């Protein structure tokens, strides 16, 4: 029997009625002769509700207690789904992250999975159960509950697929696949049938919310196929795997992602000397804040300017740290902007096509969109601009690069 891992997100299991429909889908896949492991998120809105409760006590709350709290949403849905499956006549058992042997490091609120002891899940599968596992959570060696960062159930599902050598990891959600861009911003957005892990990783890291980036990273590393599907409509969804089948006609650009969750920080007039970058960014890294784009330009008289972006949530803390560094370095000025958006075009076809960046910049210029930062990789070009420009920028790029065709 092959093992299929299915993951259902919060909107798919937001009510008892919806849980019953999910149970039917699980049962029908089981009736195809597969062993089923089902990973679930919390009911839609639940994780936010719990977060807000905690924030009403302390707006800057983070750490161990927060994970103990926000991991409970998934404990509700695993048991409700297992009960529903049982009522429909199928043997099922729910497992929390710790019961399922999901071990993580101890970086609370954004823990990484170290390893999965697959024996508990295997044992219950062998006994004929449908095994329902709580996504988003794990346990440290010391026995503390951790969570994997927002959207972390995707990563749980992929990691479990790897640990069980599953045939496929099916991610069920409220959209029927991965789109060329967000249809709410660009009505011409089209569903993509197949995309490489590499491209998907860029799209999700750059703001496409369909999958947690770490899930895609994991899938690429261990070569697991992911399929993104709708819970509510029939369809074949989007397949994400290492290599595209049709090597024939590769799109130059596969998709456009955007991210409003970043903020920009800028420090001016620091000495242009070896070691400056690490003096500025070191303290930020020590705070466990991920720095994304970095630009350094040399100004006049041996002074340099430094601009970088951080998650918007970490803006205040990063700004504080930058102000302290600024005193030590006798910088001229520190500035910030937390109303920015990063827009990224992604496609493996960029490797073999020149001039994509200049075309992108000229389209934006024609539409009066000012770019404040640029970064490129082999298969991606990102720009930062003011948040107000989001819709126009995405729409003109989507059209210019024929993504609506
Ligand atoms: N419930 C968690 C969240 O809302 C994890 C997930 O949905 O994947 O972020
Ligand atoms: Mg999600």
């Amino acid at each position: 029997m092959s093992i299929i891992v299915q993951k259902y997100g919060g909107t798919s299991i937001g009510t008892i009625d919806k849980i019953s429909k999910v149970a039917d889908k699980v049962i029908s896949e089981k009736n195809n002769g597969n062993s089923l492991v089902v990973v679930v998120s919390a009911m839609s809105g639940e994780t936010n509700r719990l977060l807000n409760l905690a924030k009403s006590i302390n707006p800057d709350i983070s750490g161990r207690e927060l994970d103990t709290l926000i991991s409970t949403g998934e404990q509700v849905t695993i048991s409700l789904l297992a009960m529903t499956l049982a009522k429909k006549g199928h043997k099922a058992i729910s497992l929390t992250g710790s019961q399922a042997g999901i071990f993580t490091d101890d970086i609370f609120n954004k823990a990484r999975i170290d390893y999965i002891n697959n024996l508990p899940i295997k044992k219950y599968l062998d006994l004929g159960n449908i095994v329902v596992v709580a996504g988003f959570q794990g346990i440290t060696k010391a026995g503390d509950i951790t969570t994997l960062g927002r959207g972390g159930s995707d990563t749980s599902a992929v990691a479990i697929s790897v640990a069980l050598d599953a045939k496929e990891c099916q991610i069920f959600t409220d959209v029927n696949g991965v789109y060329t861009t967000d249809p709410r911003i660009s009505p011409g957005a089209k569903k993509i049938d197949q995309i490489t892990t590499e491209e998907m990783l860029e799209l999700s890291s750059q703001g496409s919310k369909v999958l947690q980036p770490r899930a895609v990273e994991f899938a690429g590393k261990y070569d697991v196929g992911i399929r993104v599907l709708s819970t509510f409509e029939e369809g074949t969804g989007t397949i994400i795997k290492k290599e595209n089948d049709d090597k024939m006609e590769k799109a130059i650009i596969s998709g456009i992602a955007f991210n409003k969750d970043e903020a920009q920080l800028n420090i001016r007039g620091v000495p242009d000397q070896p070691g400056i970058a690490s003096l500025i960014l070191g303290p930020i890294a020590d705070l466990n804040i991920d720095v994304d784009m970095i630009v350094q330009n040399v100004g006049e008289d041996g002074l340099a300017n430094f601009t970088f972006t951080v998650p918007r949530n970490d803006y205040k803390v990063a700004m504080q740290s930058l102000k302290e560094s600024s005193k030590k370095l006798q910088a001229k000025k520190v500035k910030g902007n937390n109303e920015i958006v990063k827009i990224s075009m992604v496609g493996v076809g960029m490797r073999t096509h020149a001039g994509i960046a200049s075309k992108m910049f000229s389209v934006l210029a024609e539409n009066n969109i000012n770019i404040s930062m640029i970064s490129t990789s082999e298969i991606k070009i990102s720009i930062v601009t003011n948040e107000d420009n989001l819709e126009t920028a995405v729409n003109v790029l989507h059209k210019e690069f024929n993504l609506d065709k």
Side-chain angles (χ1 to χ4, degrees):
M1 269 213 274
S2 314
I3 299 176
I4 299 274
V5 174
Q6 296 191 328
K7 180 253 166 178
Y8 292 92
T11 46
S12 304
I13 47 162
T15 63
I16 295 295
D17 223 40
K18 286 181 172 171
I19 291 177
S20 169
K21 301 223 165 78
V22 162
D24 293 338
K25 287 182 90 78
V26 173
I27 292 166
S28 102
E29 188 65 69
K30 187 172 181 220
N31 289 342
N32 289 335
N34 296 305
S35 285
L36 260 286
V37 177
V38 187
V39 176
V40 291
S41 302
M43 286 178 157
S44 47
E46 179 63 8
T47 310
N48 284 339
R49 187 184 72 86
L50 296 166
L51 269 171
N52 288 335
L53 284 176
K55 283 187 180 160
S56 73
I57 299 169
N58 172 1
D60 298 321
I61 191 89
S62 66
R64 183 185 183 280
E65 301 313 322
L66 189 62
D67 278 352
T68 305
L69 176 72
I70 63 177
S71 62
T72 59
E74 276 73 10
Q75 195 166 329
V76 171
T77 46
I78 51 170
S79 45
L80 290 174
L81 179 57
M83 289 172 198
T84 310
L85 288 163
K87 187 173 169 196
K88 291 179 190 274
H90 288 262
K91 234 173 133 181
I93 186 163
S94 66
L95 298 177
T96 62
S98 90
Q99 290 171 328
I102 302 174
F103 289 91
T104 72
D105 62 18
D106 57 5
I107 313 288
F108 292 106
N109 317 151
K110 41 184 166 187
R112 278 183 179 263
I113 297 175
D114 282 336
Y115 68 96
I116 296 180
N117 169 14
N118 66 14
L119 295 177
I121 298 183
K122 277 195 165 159
K123 180 183 89 186
Y124 288 114
L125 285 177
D126 288 346
L127 292 169
N129 288 278
I130 296 170
V131 181
V132 186
V133 184
F136 183 50
Q137 58 178 266
I139 192 150
T140 65
K141 273 203 203 87
D144 290 315
I145 297 170
T146 51
T147 66
L148 309 178
R150 297 310 303 269
S153 331
D154 295 338
T155 304
S156 309
V158 176
I160 290 169
S161 305
V162 174
L164 296 171
D165 201 15
K167 189 168 121 195
E168 193 170 73
C169 178
Q170 303 172 346
I171 308 272
F172 285 90
T173 177
D174 52 357
V175 290
N176 61 359
V178 179
Y179 275 71
T180 50
T181 194
D182 188 336
R184 283 167 299 190
I185 298 284
S186 258
K190 291 271 178 308
K191 181 175 85 79
I192 303 169
D193 291 328
Q194 204 174 98
I195 188 167
T196 63
T197 336
E198 203 184 2
E199 289 169 306
M200 193 62 221
L201 182 57
E202 289 288 6
L203 286 177
S204 9
S205 331
Q206 302 311 323
S208 156
K209 295 260 157 57
V210 187
L211 284 173
Q212 201 200 32
R214 267 187 206 170
V216 188
E217 201 184 318
F218 229 100
K221 196 162 152 199
Y222 297 99
D223 207 1
V224 207
I226 302 183
R227 191 189 287 271
V228 176
L229 296 148
S230 160
T231 311
F232 311 107
E233 303 169 20
E234 290 301 313
T236 50
T238 300
I239 298 174
I240 302 157
K241 55 184 193 180
K242 235 173 176 167
E243 286 298 331
N244 263 334
D245 281 343
D246 51 296
K247 296 222 165 67
M248 293 290 291
E249 215 183 318
K250 236 177 232 163
I252 300 174
I253 304 299
S254 301
I256 303 173
F258 53 85
N259 183 355
K260 290 195 282 184
D261 296 331
E262 288 192 26
Q264 179 176 308
L265 288 95
N266 175 262
I267 179 165
R268 282 163 192 265
V270 293
D272 183 22
Q273 282 164 5
I276 279 297
S278 88
L279 284 175
I280 294 169
L281 297 176
I284 308 260
D286 291 342
L287 292 165
N288 251 315
I289 297 175
D290 294 325
V291 172
D292 180 28
M293 285 166 101
I294 306 171
V295 175
Q296 184 191 340
N297 25 33
V298 179
E300 284 159 48
D301 307 322
L303 295 177
N305 299 331
F306 218 86
T307 310
F308 58 95
T309 61
V310 297
R312 209 175 271 190
N313 272 337
D314 294 326
Y315 178 62
K316 259 210 232 148
V317 181
M319 195 56 160
Q320 192 59 39
S321 154
L322 190 63
K323 280 184 178 152
E324 278 157 29
S325 306
S326 138
K327 273 183 226 141
K328 286 187 204 136
L329 300 168
Q330 298 181 316
K332 294 248 184 312
K333 202 168 168 187
V334 171
K335 267 188 10 185
N337 181 359
N338 63 358
E339 286 174 3
I340 56 160
V341 60
K342 182 172 68 166
I343 300 171
S344 308
M345 297 204 311
V346 172
V348 284
M350 270 186 220
R351 286 204 179 103
T352 45
H353 284 82
I356 307 294
S358 62
K359 190 165 159 191
M360 178 184 192
F361 303 150
S362 68
V363 176
L364 293 174
E366 279 159 25
N367 287 277
N368 251 322
I369 291 165
N370 193 39
I371 303 172
S372 69
M373 288 174 94
I374 298 169
S375 89
T376 61
S377 80
E378 227 193 337
I379 64 161
K380 177 204 74 189
I381 309 166
S382 305
I383 60 114
V384 170
T385 185
N386 263 333
E387 213 177 86
D388 313 341
N389 295 325
L390 170 63
E391 235 161 278
T392 316
V394 170
N395 277 305
V396 295
L397 292 171
H398 198 264
K399 189 139 181 270
E400 183 68 28
F401 287 91
N402 293 322
L403 289 171
D404 48 355
K405 295 281 155 61

